[in-house]
Amino acid sequence: MKVLKFGGTSVGSVENMSNVKKIINDGAKKVVVLSAMSGTTNQLVAIAQDIKAGKAQDAVEKVNQLHEKYKVTIDELLNDTALNTAVKAYVSEVFAFLGDCTSKSFLETLENQIVAQGELLSTYMFNAYLNQEGVSSALLPALDFMRIDENKEPDINYIKENFKRVFDNTPDSQIYITQGFICLDAEGEISNLQRGGSDYTATIIGAAFIAEEVQIWTDIDGMHNNDPRHVEGTHPISNLSFDEAAELAYFGAKILHPQTVTPVRVDNIPVRLKNTMEPSAHGTLISNLTSGDGIKAIAAKDGITAIKIKSARMLQAHGFLKKVFEIFETYKTSIDMITTSEVAVSLTIDDDKNLEAILAELEKIAIIEVDKNQSIVCLVGHEVVNHDDTFKLFQILQDVKIRMISYGGSQNNISLLIDSEDKINTLQKLNDYLFELVTP
Ligand code: ADP
Ligand code: ASP
Ligand code: MG
């Protein structure tokens, strides 16, 4: 059995929902994971932010606007009167709940409940639509089986057991629809897998029952060799290894949630990226096979903080780096890039929640410099470090200031740290230097 995930654009209009129906209705039993309709999660986040800022009236207006949008969509989607009425009643309950939230005081748990509504709405509507169209489908509530532990990692044994229970309890059905993104946390409160998390839901479910394949259906024909939002002339890559895809996702290729391939790589479950608007396009197949060599793709991750730790006296002393790493360990902050010289070590983090506390500790043992608003540009491909054409990337040094380079940490990845304001220029120039000349 396969798991197919459809993103926000794929369920963002009645026309696209009808495309999704055609794609999934091939007679085969499958699990279908849906995101919220595009724009909904952003709007729900904005509602939560208004509540946090004490702007209850702005929140109420946003709730009402979104409700109106859903009523219009339901009228377009469901011409069956009974289904139309039933779905509108459900949707009204959701918006009544959101309306109530606007007068509550802000808590993280309240925000999590608010942002969870997007996936609950889209799956309820789409399930009704399939019923109207005579397609046999059932809803599997994600909150009945999807859970994260104290470290915010999927609780895989719980998920396996409960997914099987929910699945087996459901009468024979061709399509099993569930919500992406949402889950329970270790305390049983509603939580989520972070923005873009529906991809992760799909691979967690795929791993839970060792699916034949996980498909991520989106609005583009697969992983491109550079960020199509910023660079002209990008093209899709047909095949990626799990390692390559994991690096690209982790280092900012928005098409995949950073953790997407983690659950499936051990069991070698292939992940296929496909375009809902162009189902015949090949897309990208992510598997344990490596193909081609040289730099295949470039991605960039923003919001990076660089920390330089200088200590002429101590750097060469045994145990200095250990002390530094222990500080990051204490604050559960992972380090992405690291370079050293005789007198200093520079490293980067993307989670600056505990930055002040980390700096206070580091200042006890060294002199610290901090640069915010940095971006990591990551170049990925099989054995890139050894490839004859890789030197061409260093032409970038004539165009932008590079703060750090990580070369040789793995055979498949070279990372550059730059000021975020140089990102678009860097991506475009690297594209020109590398892909105009190197056959991908
Ligand atoms: P969905 O809502 O289906 O999950 P996303 O917006 O999360 O879709 O991801 C698809 C988008 O990712 C594309 O529309 C594209 O703009 C962006 N993107 C960024 N980098 C890449 C890349 N390297 N290859 C393909 N798409 C990318
Ligand atoms: N709806 C969520 C988001 O917008 C999850 C997802 O789309 O994958 O982040
Ligand atoms: Mg996404």
Side-chain angles (χ1 to χ4, degrees):
M1 196 164 60
K2 292 182 183 170
V3 179
L4 279 70
K5 174 259 170 176
F6 292 86
T9 313
S10 305
V11 293
S13 67
V14 171
E15 189 188 347
N16 289 348
M17 285 194 220
S18 136
N19 287 338
V20 174
K21 186 203 84 183
K22 284 181 205 135
I23 292 165
I24 62 179
N25 192 21
D26 59 1
K29 220 175 171 64
K30 55 178 67 70
V31 177
V32 171
V33 175
L34 300 183
S35 294
M37 294 180 77
S38 54
T40 297
T41 310
N42 285 349
Q43 194 69 354
L44 294 170
V45 168
I47 290 165
Q49 277 167 357
D50 283 344
I51 297 169
K52 192 174 185 180
K55 297 183 194 158
Q57 197 44 43
D58 291 358
V60 170
E61 272 165 36
K62 288 191 177 87
V63 170
N64 292 340
Q65 271 169 13
L66 200 58
H67 193 178
E68 287 310 310
K69 200 177 129 192
Y70 273 83
K71 283 189 213 158
V72 171
T73 308
I74 293 163
D75 281 340
E76 213 188 316
L77 185 71
L78 300 168
N79 47 33
D80 178 294
T81 318
L83 282 171
N84 183 302
T85 309
V87 172
K88 273 198 189 139
Y90 173 79
V91 168
S92 291
E93 271 175 41
V94 168
F95 281 94
F97 165 76
L98 290 171
D100 285 348
C101 290
T102 59
S103 58
K104 292 191 179 150
S105 24
F106 181 84
L107 285 170
E108 203 185 316
T109 48
L110 184 77
E111 177 169 30
N112 287 345
Q113 285 174 15
I114 292 173
V115 299
Q117 303 307 317
E119 274 69 13
L120 293 168
L121 287 166
S122 64
T123 48
Y124 198 91
M125 285 162 63
F126 190 72
N127 185 44
Y129 171 62
L130 290 186
N131 290 350
Q132 171 182 282
E133 302 299 301
V135 181
S136 135
S137 71
L139 262 184
L140 304 182
L143 299 179
D144 287 355
F145 62 84
M146 191 58 76
R147 194 169 83 170
I148 50 174
D149 62 20
E150 306 76 32
N151 298 318
K152 300 196 187 311
E153 299 288 338
D155 187 341
I156 201 73
N157 289 330
Y158 176 95
I159 296 166
K160 271 187 182 161
E161 207 174 286
N162 286 282
F163 182 80
K164 188 172 180 325
R165 176 180 59 79
V166 177
F167 190 88
D168 291 348
N169 274 346
T170 315
D172 265 350
S173 182
Q174 187 202 323
I175 313 261
Y176 292 84
I177 299 171
T178 192
Q179 298 86 21
F181 179 58
I182 62 174
C183 61
L184 295 182
D185 66 13
E187 279 82 46
E189 300 280 356
I190 294 185
S191 185
N192 61 64
L193 302 172
Q194 308 295 320
R195 296 303 307 268
S198 299
D199 303 329
Y200 197 21
T201 301
T203 52
I204 294 169
I205 295 177
F209 70 88
I210 315 286
E212 179 192 333
E213 178 172 291
V214 175
Q215 298 183 351
I216 311 267
W217 289 80
T218 182
D219 57 4
I220 191 164
D221 52 354
M223 177 74 81
H224 278 221
N225 63 334
N226 206 330
D227 193 327
R229 292 168 300 174
H230 303 305
V231 176
E232 281 176 22
T234 63
H235 61 77
I237 305 167
S238 311
N239 293 282
L240 282 173
S241 66
F242 286 121
D243 285 349
E244 291 164 346
E247 300 263 20
L248 289 167
Y250 184 74
F251 286 107
K254 189 192 173 231
I255 185 171
L256 289 180
H257 178 280
Q259 299 300 335
T260 307
V261 297
T262 313
V264 287
R265 64 201 294 177
V266 273
D267 293 311
N268 188 19
I269 301 168
V271 178
R272 206 180 278 280
L273 312 183
K274 295 282 288 177
N275 188 349
T276 305
M277 275 53 80
E278 213 189 320
S280 59
H282 175 278
T284 301
L285 177 62
I286 303 168
S287 70
N288 66 352
L289 301 176
T290 44
S291 63
D293 54 8
I295 294 167
K296 261 191 194 170
I298 304 173
K301 179 172 168 178
D302 298 330
I304 303 293
T305 300
I307 306 171
K308 186 188 276 179
I309 304 159
K310 260 169 115 175
S311 175
R313 211 161 33 86
M314 294 177 81
L315 193 66
Q316 288 180 328
H318 292 298
F320 180 74
L321 282 178
K322 182 166 176 262
K323 271 192 205 151
V324 169
F325 289 142
E326 273 169 358
I327 294 170
F328 287 88
E329 162 72 22
T330 306
Y331 291 98
K332 293 195 170 169
T333 301
S334 64
I335 296 167
D336 282 333
M337 272 178 88
I338 177 156
T339 58
T340 62
S341 78
E342 199 192 347
V343 292
V345 47
S346 276
L347 47 80
T348 70
I349 57 173
D350 69 350
D351 174 3
D352 62 3
K353 222 176 31 249
N354 294 315
L355 183 63
E356 291 311 315
I358 291 171
L359 295 180
E361 296 279 332
L362 288 173
E363 271 158 5
K364 293 182 191 160
I365 56 168
I367 299 160
I368 309 299
E369 276 173 36
V370 177
D371 287 320
K372 293 196 174 178
N373 301 320
Q374 304 289 296
S375 295
I376 293 178
V377 173
C378 166
L379 300 103
V380 167
H382 182 51
E383 298 281 338
V384 279
V385 168
N386 301 324
H387 196 267
D388 288 348
D389 283 327
T390 294
F391 76 93
K392 289 172 185 156
L393 94 88
F394 291 103
Q395 295 176 70
I396 198 67
L397 291 170
Q398 67 207 5
D399 304 306
V400 288
K401 202 171 128 224
I402 307 285
R403 169 81 166 70
M404 282 166 72
I405 298 182
S406 171
Y407 187 97
S410 96
Q411 299 295 93
N412 303 330
N413 169 346
I414 300 166
S415 298
L416 314 173
L417 185 73
I418 54 165
D419 212 288
S420 294
E421 63 185 27
D422 292 331
K423 180 180 84 170
I424 294 177
N425 184 29
T426 305
L427 291 177
Q428 185 66 59
K429 286 271 162 51
L430 285 171
N431 216 58
D432 298 345
Y433 293 139
L434 293 162
F435 299 133
E436 298 298 309
L437 305 164
V438 183
T439 316

